[in-house]
Structure formats: C-alpha cells, structure tokens
Amino acid sequence: MILRRHIISTLAMALFFAGMPSLAGQSQEKHRVRLKADYIKQMDARSYLDIKASARINKQTVAISGVELLVINEIDGEEIELGKLTTDQKGEGVFALDLNALKADSLHTYSLGVSFMGTDSLRRASRTVQFKDAALKAYLITRDSVYYIEAVLKDAVTDSLISEQNVKVQVQRLFAPLVLSDEINLTDDTGTILVAIPEGIPGVDSRLTIETVLEDSDDYGTLKATLDAPIGVPIIDESTYDERTLWGPRGKTPIFILLFTGLLVVGTWGTILYLIRILFKIAKH
Amino acid sequence: MAAIETLVKDLGPKKFSLRGKIWTVLLVAVIVAGIIAYIDQLIQGQQVTNMRDYALWGIYISNFVFFVATSFVGSVTVAILRLTKNSWRTPFVRIAEIIAVASIIMAGITIMIDMARPDRLLNLFVHARLQSPITWDVIIIPTYIVISLLLLYFPLLPDLAILKNHFKKTKPKLSKIYGRLSLNWSGSTIQKKLQSRAIHIICILIIPVGLLLQTVDAWLFSTTYRVGWDSTNFAPYFISGAFVAGVGSLVAVIYVVRKVKRLEHYITEYHFDKMGKFLALACFIYIYFNINEYLIPAFTSKKAESIHLETLFSGDYAFPFWLVTIVGLIIPALILLFKAGRKPKTMFVLSLLVVLGSWWKRYIIVTPTLLHPFLPIQGVPESWRTYFPSLHEWLITGATLAMALLIITFLVRHLPVIPIQRTADEQKDDKLKTAEV
C-alpha cells in the first residue's frame, strides 16, 4: 500500500516537473526585432535596399539570421509586394530595386516598406524607407595643373539642381576609403562641389578609383558615383609571388636549390647504390 | 690461425653475465614504459606533453639534436682516422660505428615521436618543399642511416666469416647467420680489394654527408628568426658541439665495454690518452664557439636578445646554463690537459659529465629561445610561458635513450667490438717488424 503511494506520488512529481518547461515556454518573452533599411544608388550601376535585422537579447545586440523579410512598395495606402529576402549569417540582406518598376507619390517620393512577420521568439517588425530619385555625376577636371573632382547633384525626375547636401570625395581602397574632401562639403546653388586631388596618391597602373558619395541623405538616401582617373603614382608591384624564391611554394623552388639538392641526392644515393653493388660483387666472389 | 682463435675468444660474442642481463631487462623496462606513454600520446594527442604555443619544440627536439650530434662524430671520427691511416684507431672504430648507427636510428625515430600525427609522415615526402630545411633533414637522415650502416657492415665482413667458422661446430645455427651476413667472405684478393675500395669511398662520402647532417640540423634553428638562433655561426657551433657529445659518448661506451669484456690488453691507457687529447681539443673548440655565440650578442644585443641572455646568465636558466658550461665543458677540458686526467677511470667520469652536459646543452639551446619570441603570444594562459617536460615526455625520451643503449648493447653482444681480422693483421705486422729489427 505504502509502496503504491510512493509510486503514485513519484509519478505525480515527475509529471509536474515534466510540465515545467512548457509552462516556461508559454511565459517566454518575445524579443523585439530592429530593422534597418538604407536606400543606396550606385550611379550607372544598380539601386538596392541594404537591410539589416537585429535584436537585443540578454543585453546584447544579436544579428537575426535566416529570417524572411517582405519588401513592399507603398503608394496611397496601397501595398504592392516587391519580393522577399532572407537575411544571411550577419543578419544582412540586399534587395535589388528597379526604379522604373516602382511607383512614386505625387511628390516623386518612393515609399518602401520592409516587414518581418515574427516568430515564436521574435516580435513582428517593420521599417519604411522614403527617398526621391536623384543623380550624382562626377567629372575629372584640371585647373592650373591641379586635378579636381567636380560633382553635380540633381533631382532625377525634375532635373533641378540640389544644394546644401554634403557630398564626400574619396579614393577607393582595399579596407577603408581615403577621404579627400573636408568633413562637410556642401553642394552650392548649382548643386556642385569641387575638391582638389592631392598629388602623389598611389594607384595600380597609376589609376585611382575616385568615389563621390552623398551619404545617408534624408531625402535621397545614399548615392555613389565612381570614376577611374589615371592620375595616381603607379604602384610598383614588389610581390615575388610568381618568382622562384626561398620563401615561395614548392612549385616555385629556385633553380639553384633544385640543382644543388638534386645533385647532392643523386650523387650520394648513386654512390650508395654503387656500394651496394660492391656488396653483391663480394658475395659473388 | 691459433692467434685468430685467441682473438675470437677475447673479442668475439660472449653470453651476458648476470649484470648484463639485469642491464638489458632494465633497458627493456624503460622502453616499455616509454612505449605505453607514447601510445597514450598518440591517443590523447600532444596535450599530454607540456609543449604549447610558446615551447612548441621541447625535450624531443633537444633529444633529437643530441642523437644527431652523437651519431655524426662516431662515423666522421672513424672516417678521418681511417683515411689518415692512424693505427691506434683499431680498438675503438667498431664501437664508434655502433654508436653512430644506434644514435642516427634513434634520431630518426625521435623526430617522428615529435610529430603529433606520425601517420602523416609520408606528407613530408609527397608535399616536400625543397627550400625548407625540414625537407633537407628528411632527406639527410635516412641517407646518413644507410651510410652509417654500410660503414659498420663493410669492415665487419671478414670478422663475420671468422665467427661463422668459429661457431660451425658449437653453434651451427648461429654460424649460419654469421655466414649469410659475411656474404661468403673468403678473404680472396678480389674481395679484399672490393672491400677496401668500398670502405675508402664510404669514408670519403660520410665526411661531407656528416657535415651536411649537422649543418642542416643547425639550419633548422638558424633559418628560424628567433633570439639565440639567428646566427651565421650556428652550423660550426653545432659541429663543434657534436664532436664534444660524440667523443664523450665514445669514451664512456669504450670504458664500459673494456671493463665488461675485459679488453684491457686491447684498449690500453695509450688509447684513452689519445682519445683524451681529442676530447680536450673538441671541448676547447666548443668553448671558443660558445664565447662567440654568447659574447657577441651580449655586446650588440637589442632588447629581446638582452632578455634572452639575462635568462641564461642570471635568470631562470642560469643554473643549468652555468652547470653545463662549467661542469660539462670547462672543467673536463682543463682536467684533460693533464696526463693524469687522461687515465681511463678519470676519463670515464669526465666523459659522463661531458655527455650529460651535452644533452642539457641542447635543452638550453632549444627551450629558453622559444620562451622569448620577438612578439609575445596573446590570449594564452600564463602557464604556457614556462616549460618543463611532462611525465609523458620524460618517459618517452628516456625510452629513446634506452633504445639507443639497447641497440648498442645488442650489437656489442653479437659482434666483435674490436675488429678481429684487422687486429690479427696488425699483430702479424708487429711481429714481422720485431723480427726484422
């Protein structure tokens, strides 16, 4: 009787504790998701939304990877689905845009929405990006033997010049760009900036890839125009990658090492073989 | 013929005494302990050693360098003495050859022990970069093993034939083995001519190969840009050090063999005197190179080198450094200058000091340098900045040393430790000379 009671109470306890995780699951708090979306236009190339999803979990910002985001075009209360994208391991994703296929409002402003539908542990989230289409054109000019970058910023729809926008000029580099312009470099009434290019900037085959950037503008997003300028100091390639060196891979062994080592090995082992032959001769006689 | 029979009785293989058996069992026990430790190292990986990011070479490499040094001298000394036709070499050339063979075999095995993945040994050949001193080492060690074996084998042929005849009636099976190994040696003129030519070639060949072996060993260090190793002197420094370790080992083994096999009539005080002078010369040359290696950096050192030298002169490694330098090198060299210091017993003690000193010297060359890289290694535990071998490392290293001694013991047990035929020929020549006088 007592034994049976013990068994029943043990089973009851086990059932009770077995239910605990599911109870905990029910009261689990959903994490808030932050969506970041930037409109970027590379002149004469492509336009896209640069999207990043993150959440604050255990007081740390964590990238939300592998979630599906919906991109829509909002116009006069109407929502047109443009497509979906899935975030990568860094919680990032790029959504290519075709401006001709998008619809703008009467003020020529595009309104795009990015939304996340939520999961068991993450809340729903959305973000709207608004921008107007603009055009940034850069030219290389010379004045008094000094090279300048002249860039003109225009509204792409109305063709009107845009003033008072900060446009940076920089040289493309492997890790971070080399900024040539001042920190604040506003376009004038003609929508133009002019930045002198210092002498002596090294470039492969003397070519410099110069970027003119309108960065994170409230009205126009990010615009980037690049041009190749053959005005740099040529970089002399000192790499010995293709040469036969002592530090090269085994396929690039210096000839003298091959010859010297080869001769030593052949000479020594040739003599050893000759000595072994003598052993056979001794055995024969 | 009667003279040869006497020589065979004196110099030929003899059964072990009780002491010999205990010695062999002891060596086997040490080897078994080492093998168990090595199997555990294979299973668990090199985490069982105390080698970490700093001391990535430890006692195994020190031991390897010691074996290479010892093997070099055995063969090269014999070769030089043979080529210069020094007759006093006869009683100890074979022992030197045996030491050389045992040491170079163990050097090869030790380097494999140091590899965390010996199953990838073949990759050293398949993916060899000829610019790398490691590849040169991979080439030179097997080459040297083969040449050392040939140097031991060729002069043995007449003696093996003598042993074949000697054991024909008493031990026919053993006689058969000696007969096969003697390659039907009959002592014919052609055979003698061929043998003589072969020995001459090996003696010429082994000197540059031996020098290359030591040089490659030194370049393994000096091509690695490290404090204490970055020296153009390293190859001659290693060669001179090898002479000390090799001659020291030779003297120690000769003394033991002489005592155990009662060869006082063959290996006389005269031979010890000669070897003593040779050892003294080796010690003084090595002292000279040591001064070069430490004094010049002391004058020109930058910060990293100063720290390294300070560690050796007055820091953590000062005690072993000075012990090795003074007790293992300077004192033996000075004592050996006196005739009384070149007596067998004294020389045996000195040779032991020299050999022990030589072994620890390699440890001092390898370890302190690794603990002082030019750039400190970040994100590693503090304990990794120091190194002392683990029990596994000691057991395995002990086993390699025991294995070398076991090879020497086995060969000394089964081969004539002093060439019988050559001693007989020399005795005959001496008699003829005496008769002429």
Side-chain angles (χ1 to χ4, degrees):
Chain A
M1 193 65 181
I2 294 167
L3 182 68
R4 190 186 292 170
R5 243 187 241 172
H6 271 296
I7 292 168
I8 291 166
S9 61
T10 311
L11 281 172
M13 290 278 279
L15 280 170
F16 175 74
F17 285 112
M20 289 294 273
S22 60
L23 286 171
Q26 278 171 23
S27 63
Q28 194 182 12
E29 193 189 340
K30 279 192 172 188
H31 298 289
R32 216 172 114 184
V33 172
R34 287 179 194 170
L35 287 178
K36 192 170 174 284
D38 294 312
Y39 165 70
I40 295 167
K41 180 178 182 182
Q42 286 177 334
M43 300 307 299
D44 303 322
R46 60 175 187 156
S47 302
Y48 58 92
L49 282 183
D50 193 16
I51 300 167
K52 189 169 184 182
S54 63
R56 199 78 184 145
I57 299 171
N58 296 332
K59 294 180 181 174
Q60 280 187 324
T61 304
V62 179
I64 305 296
S65 59
V67 291
E68 197 173 71
L69 304 175
L70 179 69
V71 182
I72 50 164
N73 185 188
E74 297 167 353
I75 174 82
D76 302 330
E78 188 192 345
E79 290 182 348
I80 304 161
E81 186 180 324
L82 295 177
K84 288 174 182 170
L85 75 108
T86 307
T87 54
D88 64 11
Q89 278 195 327
K90 292 179 186 170
E92 294 172 354
V94 167
F95 188 84
L97 298 171
D98 176 9
L99 291 189
N100 296 326
L102 295 182
K103 286 184 179 173
D105 63 12
S106 54
L107 295 169
H108 313 297
T109 302
Y110 294 98
S111 188
L112 301 181
V114 180
S115 56
F116 168 58
M117 304 314 285
T119 62
D120 289 346
S121 57
L122 300 168
R123 284 191 203 171
R124 291 166 64 100
S126 63
R127 161 79 66 181
T128 305
V129 189
Q130 288 186 322
F131 59 89
K132 287 180 180 176
D133 189 18
L136 182 64
K137 286 205 168 167
Y139 310 93
L140 178 71
I141 58 170
T142 318
R143 280 185 198 165
D144 302 328
S145 309
V146 177
Y147 288 108
Y148 291 87
I149 286 291
E150 188 183 67
V152 182
L153 183 64
K154 280 182 183 176
D155 188 300
V157 181
T158 61
D159 212 27
S160 57
L161 298 162
I162 304 166
S163 61
E164 297 297 312
Q165 294 287 334
N166 190 19
V167 176
K168 271 199 307 193
V169 176
Q170 59 196 28
V171 179
Q172 212 175 63
R173 284 288 184 255
L174 190 62
F175 296 107
L178 171 67
V179 180
L180 301 179
S181 56
D182 296 332
E183 200 173 324
I184 295 171
N185 193 46
L186 300 176
T187 49
D188 59 15
D189 292 342
T190 60
T192 308
I193 54 132
L194 191 68
V195 174
I197 300 172
E199 281 181 24
I201 300 174
V204 176
D205 297 332
S206 77
R207 300 195 78 80
L208 301 180
T209 304
I210 297 174
E211 294 176 337
T212 312
V213 186
L214 170 69
E215 204 169 56
D216 214 8
S217 157
D218 290 341
D219 296 329
Y220 305 101
T222 297
L223 263 73
K224 201 181 269 185
T226 55
L227 68 87
D228 268 354
I231 55 171
V233 174
I235 292 172
I236 297 160
D237 185 10
E238 289 176 348
S239 164
T240 55
Y241 186 79
D242 292 324
E243 292 171 23
R244 290 183 175 273
T245 54
L246 287 170
W247 47 92
R250 65 201 192 102
K252 302 272 186 223
T253 306
I255 298 292
F256 78 92
I257 294 266
L258 283 174
L259 285 175
F260 188 67
T261 319
L263 280 174
L264 278 177
V265 171
V266 171
T268 310
W269 279 94
T271 314
I272 288 171
L273 290 175
Y274 174 68
L275 289 166
I276 291 168
R277 194 168 156 254
I278 289 182
L279 282 178
F280 280 105
K281 273 188 178 176
I282 288 174
K284 244 184 178 181
H285 287 91
Chain B
M1 203 61 195
I4 284 200
E5 277 306 313
T6 316
L7 285 172
V8 173
K9 263 187 192 169
D10 288 348
L11 308 175
K14 280 179 198 151
K15 273 192 175 174
F16 273 146
S17 64
L18 183 67
R19 272 195 296 183
K21 282 174 186 164
I22 292 170
W23 166 251
T24 311
V25 169
L26 195 78
L27 290 178
V28 171
V30 175
I31 293 166
V32 169
I35 290 171
I36 293 168
Y38 180 62
I39 291 169
D40 194 43
Q41 181 183 299
L42 278 182
I43 294 166
Q44 293 199 54
Q46 290 211 341
Q47 59 163 340
V48 298
T49 71
N50 279 342
M51 288 189 283
R52 296 291 183 267
D53 289 26
Y54 273 87
L56 42 92
W57 284 352
I59 195 174
Y60 296 151
I61 294 292
S62 316
N63 198 34
F64 161 74
V65 177
F66 172 78
F67 276 133
V68 171
T70 311
S71 71
F72 161 73
V73 174
S75 306
V76 172
T77 309
V78 168
I80 293 169
L81 292 176
R82 276 187 196 278
L83 289 172
T84 51
K85 293 184 176 147
N86 270 291
S87 58
W88 59 272
R89 72 175 194 267
T90 309
F92 61 81
V93 281
R94 182 139 310 141
I95 298 175
E97 287 158 3
I98 287 171
I99 293 173
V101 167
S103 301
I104 195 64
I105 288 172
M106 290 321 298
I109 291 175
T110 304
I111 206 74
M112 281 189 259
I113 288 169
D114 188 59
M115 292 172 72
R117 296 285 304 269
D119 54 306
R120 293 183 178 174
L121 184 70
L122 200 63
N123 287 354
L124 285 171
F125 297 92
V126 177
H127 303 290
R129 266 180 79 244
L130 268 184
Q131 300 101 308
S132 165
I134 300 270
T135 305
W136 305 340
D137 219 28
V138 168
I139 296 170
I140 199 84
I141 288 178
T143 308
Y144 197 74
I145 290 175
V146 174
I147 300 175
S148 297
L149 281 169
L150 289 173
L151 185 60
L152 174 67
Y153 189 50
F154 268 103
L156 255 176
L157 291 172
D159 291 354
L160 291 169
I162 291 170
L163 292 179
K164 180 189 90 175
N165 295 330
H166 178 73
F167 288 114
K168 211 169 203 171
K169 283 176 189 166
T170 50
K171 290 174 183 170
K173 272 188 185 172
L174 193 63
S175 167
K176 226 175 190 178
I177 296 170
Y178 283 126
R180 284 211 178 135
L181 287 171
S182 71
L183 302 177
N184 305 322
W185 181 269
S186 61
S188 68
T189 319
I190 298 173
Q191 281 183 329
K192 276 184 181 170
K193 211 175 160 187
L194 286 167
Q195 185 213 24
S196 170
R197 190 198 298 163
I199 292 172
H200 194 73
I201 291 169
I202 299 169
C203 288
I204 293 170
L205 184 68
I206 206 159
I207 296 170
V209 174
L211 287 172
L212 273 173
L213 173 79
Q214 270 304 305
T215 305
V216 167
D217 199 21
W219 285 355
L220 280 175
F221 291 87
S222 56
T223 52
T224 314
Y225 185 47
R226 289 278 197 160
V227 171
W229 296 349
D230 179 29
S231 162
T232 51
N233 249 346
F234 236 50
Y237 174 56
F238 263 47
I239 291 168
S240 62
F243 268 103
V244 174
V247 179
S249 311
L250 186 57
V251 171
V253 176
I254 286 174
Y255 180 84
V256 175
V257 172
R258 176 184 188 251
K259 187 126 185 137
V260 171
K261 294 211 158 201
R262 294 194 186 97
L263 300 174
E264 286 83 359
H265 290 301
Y266 297 93
I267 307 171
T268 62
E269 288 194 6
Y270 167 77
H271 295 109
F272 274 92
D273 188 68
K274 287 271 185 190
M275 289 300 290
K277 284 175 185 168
F278 195 23
L279 183 56
L281 178 68
C283 286
F284 279 111
I285 293 172
Y286 195 43
I287 290 169
Y288 168 78
F289 275 105
N290 267 279
I291 293 168
N292 262 291
E293 276 307 308
Y294 294 112
L295 188 66
I296 303 305
F299 271 109
T300 60
S301 62
K302 292 180 186 68
K303 196 175 175 188
E305 232 156 11
S306 303
I307 294 168
H308 174 67
L309 291 174
E310 208 179 287
T311 315
L312 293 178
F313 295 162
S314 56
D316 293 345
Y317 286 87
F319 179 69
F321 176 79
W322 290 115
L323 194 72
V324 160
T325 311
I326 296 170
V327 182
L329 199 58
I330 297 173
I331 291 176
L334 291 174
I335 294 174
L336 286 167
L337 286 178
F338 302 97
K339 199 169 175 65
R342 297 194 295 271
K343 295 283 175 198
K345 209 171 229 170
T346 320
M347 273 195 64
F348 176 62
V349 176
L350 292 178
S351 68
L352 287 182
L353 288 178
V354 162
V355 172
L356 280 172
S358 295
W359 194 90
W360 278 104
K361 176 74 180 169
R362 270 77 196 162
Y363 185 80
I364 287 168
I365 290 172
V366 173
T367 308
T369 287
L370 289 170
L371 298 177
H372 298 112
F374 283 113
L375 290 173
I377 299 166
Q378 292 182 329
V380 296
E382 193 57 33
S383 60
W384 292 11
R385 289 169 192 268
T386 53
Y387 170 76
F388 191 74
S390 68
L391 181 65
H392 279 76
E393 287 172 274
W394 281 119
L395 285 173
I396 293 167
T397 304
T400 59
L401 291 165
M403 220 178 277
L405 289 173
L406 190 68
I407 295 171
I408 294 170
T409 307
F410 176 81
L411 293 175
V412 166
R413 160 72 180 81
H414 292 286
L415 298 176
V417 283
I418 294 174
I420 296 171
Q421 184 66 56
R422 183 164 181 84
T423 309
D425 292 346
E426 279 176 4
Q427 283 177 353
K428 208 170 155 188
D429 288 349
D430 286 347
K431 272 181 192 167
L432 280 172
K433 274 181 197 166
T434 319
E436 277 173 19
V437 172

